[in-house]
Amino acid sequence: MAVVRPFKAIRPKNDKASFVVSRSYEDYSKKELNATLKFNPFSFLHIINPGFKFDKKVVGNERFKLVRNRYLEFLEEDVLMKDAQDCFYLYQIEKNNFSCCGLFAATSVADYRNGVIKKHEDTISRREKLFANYLQTVKFNAEPVLMTYPDTDSIAKIFDQEKQRSPEYHFTTTDKVTHRLWPISDEKIIRKIKDEFADINALYIADGHHRCASSDLLANISEKANPEHSGKEPYNYFMGYLIPESEIYIYEFNRMAKDLNGLTKEEFLVRLDEYFRIQNKGVILYKPTRKHHFGMYLDGEFYSLYLRKKAYAFTDPLSELDTQILYKTILEPILGITDLRNDKRITYGYGKHNVLRMKDEIDKGNYKVGFTLVPLTMDEIKDIADANLVMPPKSTYIEPKLRSGLAIYELEYKKNRNLTVK
């Protein structure tokens, strides 16, 4: 059973919501970031980039402390406010042909530990510790973990009823995304939501594996340092955004390699023939449309690669993933790329126009060969998580990408101590 709890969110004042919320820091170009910081004093970017105020680059614990200070300033200046009672927060996102509606809730660290919240990616210990120290210092969580649950008619009915009310927020940001948010404070509705999620056996992490792992690490350290630990402290939970599986959008990452590992074009194609039926598509842009089929761009021409299934063994859910097949048949044995996360010879790209960008980069000579794949499915992600397996890096690009600053979960509690993750 999945445990979800309402919480008293810190969130923007109604008239400032559209100015406060920000995309992921890495999503901004340097020019756009500087313009936003210069001309929008309410942007959440001022909190997460506190050095701008002093025209100084700050890092590490100095940055963490200044983030805390900027956060407190936003509260003192009434840019942000704290809700008086515990709520769930229904949040709808719409852009072009994309729409999803889910729930901001406090989700359980214990569920993450015992496998009710399931993962499909590895995390890096160094990053876990860094973010746990960040959370301990700033004492708030502004970036929810994106999780999915099976489509459930009873939950959908509750959400549809709540959406009949006027939303607390209704605004469109400059990237033409429309945002609506409904706080849910009615105790009967809150009880219904908690009961419905208690009947769900598993939640699946779609985006935010390091946030989960860091919250788990912080909870473990906090519990050991708190002699009055009760299990009800805020550090026992982290903020999640829960949406039905049908409203997750999954895109593929393409791969580009710098060289052919010392092989000529002809030698490379001969090596590929061991695992694939190869068709030269010439200059006609080609993208695969089925699992176990791949596109390739090499030396000004597109190719289709059809996996020879008798030459490759399917042994578990991981072995059936196209990203794993590409790794085991081409990237590792032929191109000599063993470390998909750190090898500088491989680069990843996503997006509907990425095939053209890939072609352009290869034509310029920046890369030698590129591969296109079809997107993975939610069922494949669940199969990997259920089997306690781990996907290769950059197997999925998932939407929605959530904003920072719309709802903030506070980690501070009265007996809070100065804990350090080591």
Side-chain angles (χ1 to χ4, degrees):
M1 56 182 286
V3 175
V4 298
R5 294 285 184 266
F7 64 102
K8 297 180 180 69
I10 303 292
R11 55 189 180 87
K13 286 290 186 74
N14 290 40
D15 62 331
K16 297 181 178 66
S18 63
F19 301 105
V20 170
V21 298
S22 71
R23 307 193 306 275
S24 169
Y25 187 82
E26 293 77 15
D27 194 41
Y28 292 86
S29 67
K30 185 176 181 180
K31 184 176 181 180
E32 185 183 11
L33 177 65
N34 287 335
T36 302
L37 290 167
K38 184 175 181 180
F39 297 110
N40 180 4
F42 304 123
S43 174
F44 194 78
L45 291 171
H46 283 284
I47 293 178
I48 58 179
N49 187 15
F52 181 82
K53 181 176 182 178
F54 306 104
D55 194 24
K56 176 186 176 184
K57 183 178 180 179
V58 289
V59 296
N61 287 329
E62 181 184 19
R63 174 177 170 265
F64 298 167
K65 291 175 182 178
L66 289 177
V67 167
R68 176 69 180 172
N69 291 346
R70 295 292 83 72
Y71 168 71
L72 294 175
E73 286 176 7
F74 269 48
L75 282 167
E76 292 162 0
E77 295 169 359
D78 290 328
V79 178
L80 299 174
M81 64 177 188
K82 183 173 183 177
D83 279 331
Q85 60 190 114
D86 289 334
C87 299
F88 287 120
Y89 300 88
L90 189 63
Y91 173 46
Q92 184 177 51
I93 306 168
E94 292 181 328
K95 66 171 184 177
N96 299 326
N97 59 347
F98 174 89
S99 176
C100 71
C101 186
L103 195 74
F104 286 120
T107 48
S108 170
V109 169
D111 280 356
Y112 177 73
R113 291 174 179 171
N114 63 28
V116 172
I117 294 176
K118 293 179 177 286
K119 59 185 180 179
H120 64 264
E121 290 183 5
D122 262 338
T123 53
I124 301 170
S125 177
R126 175 182 54 80
R127 290 184 62 190
E128 292 175 23
K129 292 177 181 178
L130 179 66
F131 193 59
N133 274 324
Y134 170 81
L135 293 175
Q136 186 274 321
T137 303
V138 304
K139 300 180 177 64
F140 66 82
N141 183 346
E143 297 180 341
V145 175
L146 177 64
M147 290 180 278
T148 70
Y149 60 87
D151 285 59
T152 306
D153 289 341
S154 51
I155 294 178
K157 184 177 180 181
I158 294 172
F159 289 179
D160 287 341
Q161 290 173 343
E162 290 301 306
K163 287 193 291 185
Q164 299 307 307
R165 300 185 285 114
S166 295
E168 181 85 357
Y169 301 149
H170 182 185
F171 60 90
T172 301
T173 42
T174 54
D175 55 353
K176 299 181 180 180
V177 179
T178 298
H179 309 262
R180 296 180 181 88
L181 183 134
W182 296 263
I184 301 174
S185 59
D186 185 283
E187 291 186 4
K188 291 183 179 179
I189 303 301
I190 286 175
R191 193 176 306 114
K192 282 184 181 180
I193 292 172
K194 290 168 69 174
D195 289 345
E196 289 293 339
F197 276 95
D199 289 335
I200 292 175
N201 293 326
L203 302 174
Y204 292 85
I205 302 172
D207 192 13
H209 284 78
H210 279 92
R211 275 164 266 161
C212 279
S214 300
S215 296
D216 179 24
L217 179 58
L218 179 64
N220 183 52
I221 299 297
S222 301
E223 178 180 343
K224 290 178 179 177
N226 180 13
E228 300 177 13
H229 173 80
S230 67
K232 296 181 180 180
E233 296 86 356
Y235 60 70
N236 294 288
Y237 298 86
F238 56 91
M239 185 167 59
Y241 179 64
L242 313 175
I243 67 173
E245 292 173 5
S246 63
E247 296 185 18
I248 281 281
Y249 285 65
I250 305 173
Y251 302 90
E252 75 280 8
F253 272 97
N254 298 330
R255 279 94 163 106
M256 291 187 293
K258 290 277 189 182
D259 57 64
L260 298 182
N261 198 26
L263 299 173
T264 66
K265 172 185 172 181
E266 292 73 21
E267 290 170 337
F268 178 64
L269 290 173
V270 169
R271 291 286 302 274
L272 288 183
D273 191 70
E274 177 182 355
Y275 287 104
F276 299 96
R277 291 185 291 113
I278 305 170
Q279 292 183 5
N280 188 324
K281 299 291 186 178
V283 297
I284 301 174
L285 188 147
Y286 175 79
K287 288 185 66 176
T289 57
R290 290 188 291 167
K291 279 177 62 65
H292 310 333
H293 293 185
F294 303 87
M296 182 176 71
Y297 185 67
L298 172 66
D299 196 24
E301 295 179 309
F302 287 94
Y303 295 80
S304 63
L305 308 179
Y306 297 85
L307 182 68
R308 298 182 189 275
K309 295 184 179 179
K310 290 185 178 181
Y312 180 88
F314 297 114
T315 57
D316 58 23
L318 177 61
S319 68
E320 296 188 22
L321 294 185
D322 283 350
T323 50
Q324 181 72 357
I325 293 170
L326 189 67
Y327 173 62
K328 285 297 185 181
T329 59
I330 302 176
L331 300 180
E332 182 184 43
I334 301 177
L335 295 181
I337 297 172
T338 57
D339 187 347
L340 294 176
R341 197 180 298 275
N342 299 306
D343 196 316
K344 301 300 184 183
R345 295 172 57 225
I346 187 168
T347 297
Y348 306 89
Y350 66 89
K352 65 180 181 179
H353 301 303
N354 187 253
V355 176
L356 294 176
R357 286 194 287 265
M358 180 184 77
K359 177 182 182 301
D360 187 49
E361 287 293 310
I362 293 171
D363 288 344
K364 289 178 181 177
N366 295 328
Y367 297 89
K368 186 65 177 179
V369 62
F371 302 96
T372 55
L373 305 81
V374 297
L376 300 186
T377 66
M378 193 63 219
D379 284 340
E380 288 178 303
I381 292 175
K382 290 171 63 178
D383 288 343
I384 293 292
D386 289 341
N388 294 315
L389 297 170
V390 175
M391 289 184 178
K394 303 295 185 184
S395 286
T396 58
Y397 180 85
I398 290 178
E399 287 192 340
K401 294 298 181 187
L402 300 173
R403 306 290 165 127
S404 296
L406 189 66
I408 299 169
Y409 176 73
E410 282 205 308
L411 293 164
E412 189 172 21
Y413 68 105
K414 291 182 180 179
K415 298 291 185 181
N416 189 50
R417 298 168 178 232
N418 186 24
L419 311 173
T420 303
V421 181
K422 297 181 180 180

